[in-house]
Amino acid sequence: MSSRCRFPAVLLCAIVTFAAPLASAQTPGKAKPDFADEPYVFELLLNVVRYENDGTGTRKTTARIRVQNEAAVQALGQMIFGYSSANENLAIEYLRVRRSDGTTVEAPPDSAQDLPAPVARQAPMYSDYREKHIPVPGLRPGEILEYRIVTTVEKALFPGQFWLGYEFEKNAIVLDEQLEVSIPKGRDIKLKTQPGHDAKVTTEGDRRVYRWTGSHTERETDDSKDARK
């Protein structure tokens, strides 16, 4: 099994939309959740997005994952990151394993393969969608997998426009998930979030920065998925 980096987008002109994070509040007096039965736990999942007025920009994803059993080794033994080759470039800044003895094993940059996405075989309209496959070196239970990928939007599909759809991770335990979106300070956008999940907005120089934080400490079941519909 492989792991895929999800960063879905929606075609909305100059609009940024987000689904709300699933945050699990700790009930007073309730025992701290025990994740020992989980195959892996995201200790950190950080997405930093920067857009320019011409529609170009970058998306940087940083993850730290605690590997807890052999099922996780099988699931995370090869990482797969997707991108659109028509207007984007994807770079794997680092992928490494932190061993329990304190040593670090780095995946060689040239070990990544750039391949057509399977969906392109069934739907030629997605022929520009590609994937970078990179094996994780010597992963074992009890270790930490870390990676950072940077996707650069080199050419706007619609000049002067940008858009983004983001959904917080629900299919795994995530202790700390963060989303940061930086845009030019004077840029007007339309922003849509679920009620009660407003961003923290700051002005930093000539940029306006939106930040969301969340955590997900209960695995989503079929019943909880139905309840959200």
Side-chain angles (χ1 to χ4, degrees):
M1 181 183 296
S2 61
S3 177
R4 297 177 185 271
C5 176
R6 295 183 304 109
F7 214 108
V10 290
L11 187 59
L12 296 172
C13 194
I15 298 177
V16 184
T17 65
F18 302 93
L22 294 178
S24 302
Q26 182 70 30
T27 304
K30 186 178 179 180
K32 185 177 179 180
D34 181 2
F35 306 124
D37 293 334
E38 294 294 324
Y40 58 87
V41 173
F42 280 87
E43 296 183 345
L44 174 67
L45 183 56
L46 170 63
N47 282 288
V48 178
V49 185
R50 179 185 175 99
Y51 286 115
E52 306 300 339
N53 272 321
D54 63 0
T56 60
T58 58
R59 302 191 302 268
K60 182 182 295 185
T61 300
T62 304
R64 184 170 65 246
I65 308 170
R66 185 168 73 242
V67 177
Q68 303 198 137
N69 59 29
E70 288 294 340
V73 172
Q74 294 297 316
L76 303 174
Q78 177 176 242
M79 303 299 291
I80 301 176
F81 306 110
Y83 71 103
S84 173
S85 62
N87 68 320
E88 296 178 341
N89 178 60
L90 186 145
I92 301 172
E93 194 166 298
Y94 62 77
L95 188 147
R96 61 197 178 209
V97 174
R98 292 196 178 275
R99 300 201 183 282
S100 54
D101 62 4
T103 59
T104 301
V105 181
E106 301 273 352
D110 58 3
S111 64
Q113 290 184 292
D114 193 308
L115 303 171
V119 68
R121 291 195 287 269
Q122 286 79 37
M125 67 190 71
Y126 294 105
S127 60
D128 292 328
Y129 189 76
R130 297 186 65 84
E131 296 176 339
K132 289 199 175 183
H133 296 226
I134 182 167
V136 180
L139 189 63
R140 297 192 296 254
E143 299 175 340
I144 303 293
L145 169 61
E146 298 178 334
Y147 66 80
R148 177 176 294 157
I149 63 170
V150 181
T151 304
T152 302
V153 181
E154 299 177 325
K155 179 179 65 176
L157 291 177
F158 297 93
Q161 305 296 331
F162 53 80
W163 56 89
L164 172 69
Y166 185 89
E167 185 175 2
F168 274 68
E169 177 64 54
K170 300 184 297 297
N171 298 315
I173 301 300
V174 185
L175 304 183
D176 181 9
E177 184 166 3
Q178 303 174 36
L179 172 64
E180 175 183 309
V181 181
S182 172
I183 65 172
K185 182 173 64 175
R187 181 64 181 252
D188 290 330
I189 64 169
K190 294 182 180 179
L191 178 65
K192 182 180 179 182
T193 61
Q194 291 184 357
H197 297 282
D198 295 332
K200 179 181 178 182
V201 185
T202 59
T203 299
E204 301 176 10
D206 62 351
R207 311 288 298 180
R208 187 164 72 250
V209 183
Y210 298 79
R211 292 184 174 91
W212 288 261
T213 61
S215 61
H216 185 61
T217 56
E218 293 181 3
R219 179 180 292 279
E220 188 171 49
T221 64
D222 291 338
D223 290 340
S224 61
K225 290 179 184 178
D226 293 338
R228 290 196 301 113
K229 294 179 179 179

